[in-house]
Amino acid sequence: MSERTGVTIGVLALQGAFHEHIARFASLSASASHVSVRSIAVRRPEQLAQCDALVIPGGESTAIALGLHNAGLTEPLRTWIREGRPVWGTCAGMIMLANTATGGKRGGQELLGGLHIQVGRNGFGSQVNSFECDVQCPAIGDTPFPGVFIRAPVVEALGGGGAAAAAPVSHSPDDMHGLFPGTPVEPIAWLPPASDTAADPSRVVAVRQGRLLATSFHPELTTDTRLHNYFVQMVVGAA
């Protein structure tokens, strides 16, 4: 392709690691690629309207939910998701995209929903239990991805309609094959079986459902841009 395709990636900038995501997308745009990536901070509905895709960054999910409400972005984002627009949630962003979340504040956690998974907030433990671990992600290549897990959510179940219809998470990529006929949720990354961390190595840590992508970990806190590039290619493919 001789001409560069241009895409605008919005990064929700109400709370959390949004600066780092913007920097990762900027580095992609500077690289030799047929895609020109423009990334902008999104704090208002009119900024969202300028975007081809959106990233919901890591942070604190209850603070993000409150920020969305105060900014008038909750319903526009739910509409965005229902329309099948590309969204990537990292850590707290995964929680916001999930249909169901456990371990939240009394009365429940307000979610955007759309991603047919159940997650457990702080499923790997509190801040002191944060860890780094190589992640197996065949969708971006054979080389493991450096996963940074900070109060990360755990994918507790996958299914077509939230907790009631959810199926238990498998213990390996091979076990996942064909386990969920008819459901569009696709696990794409796992902790390795030989993990030396205290975390359960059977956990799925990234999923994709059509144009929705979610990771338990923080790709923006590394210099590895493969997942950012993967998301951009999702956006280009959706055009």
Side-chain angles (χ1 to χ4, degrees), residues 181-216:
T183 178
V185 182
E186 177 189 3
I188 64 167
W190 300 259
L191 291 180
S195 173
D196 292 327
T197 72
D200 182 350
S202 71
R203 297 299 188 186
V204 170
V205 292
V207 296
R208 177 178 177 179
Q209 178 188 323
R211 296 175 184 175
L212 298 179
L213 176 67
T215 55
S216 295

Side-chain angles (χ1 to χ4, degrees), residues 50-89:
Q50 301 174 31
C51 301
D52 299 302
L54 182 75
V55 173
I56 304 174
E60 209 289 315
S61 59
T62 53
I64 292 173
L66 179 61
L68 288 172
H69 176 78
N70 292 340
L73 276 165
T74 303
E75 289 309 315
L77 269 180
R78 285 175 175 157
T79 298
W80 177 286
I81 293 167
R82 285 195 298 268
E83 291 176 347
R85 309 288 293 277
V87 186
W88 177 14

Side-chain angles (χ1 to χ4, degrees), residues 63-219:
I64 292 173
L66 179 61
L68 288 172
H69 176 78
N70 292 340
L73 276 165
T74 303
E75 289 309 315
L77 269 180
R78 285 175 175 157
T79 298
W80 177 286
I81 293 167
R82 285 195 298 268
E83 291 176 347
R85 309 288 293 277
V87 186
W88 177 14
T90 62
C91 196
M94 171 185 267
I95 297 171
M96 294 302 301
L97 287 178
N99 277 353
T100 309
T102 63
K105 64 181 181 179
R106 183 174 298 178
Q109 164 78 59
E110 185 175 18
L111 306 172
L112 294 170
L115 188 58
H116 296 170
I117 62 173
Q118 176 177 306
V119 300
R121 296 175 79 253
N122 303 330
F124 287 108
S126 64
Q127 190 83 14
V128 297
N129 302 115
S130 301
F131 65 97
E132 297 184 18
C133 178
D134 284 345
V135 170
Q136 299 172 338
C137 186
I140 61 170
D142 295 333
T143 303
F145 190 91
V148 178
F149 294 81
I150 304 172
R151 295 179 61 191
V154 163
V155 179
E156 295 179 334
L158 303 171
V169 169
S170 171
H171 287 267
S172 75
D174 290 338
D175 292 340
M176 282 294 186
H177 183 69
L179 187 60
F180 302 104
T183 178
V185 182
E186 177 189 3
I188 64 167
W190 300 259
L191 291 180
S195 173
D196 292 327
T197 72
D200 182 350
S202 71
R203 297 299 188 186
V204 170
V205 292
V207 296
R208 177 178 177 179
Q209 178 188 323
R211 296 175 184 175
L212 298 179
L213 176 67
T215 55
S216 295
F217 51 96
H218 290 264

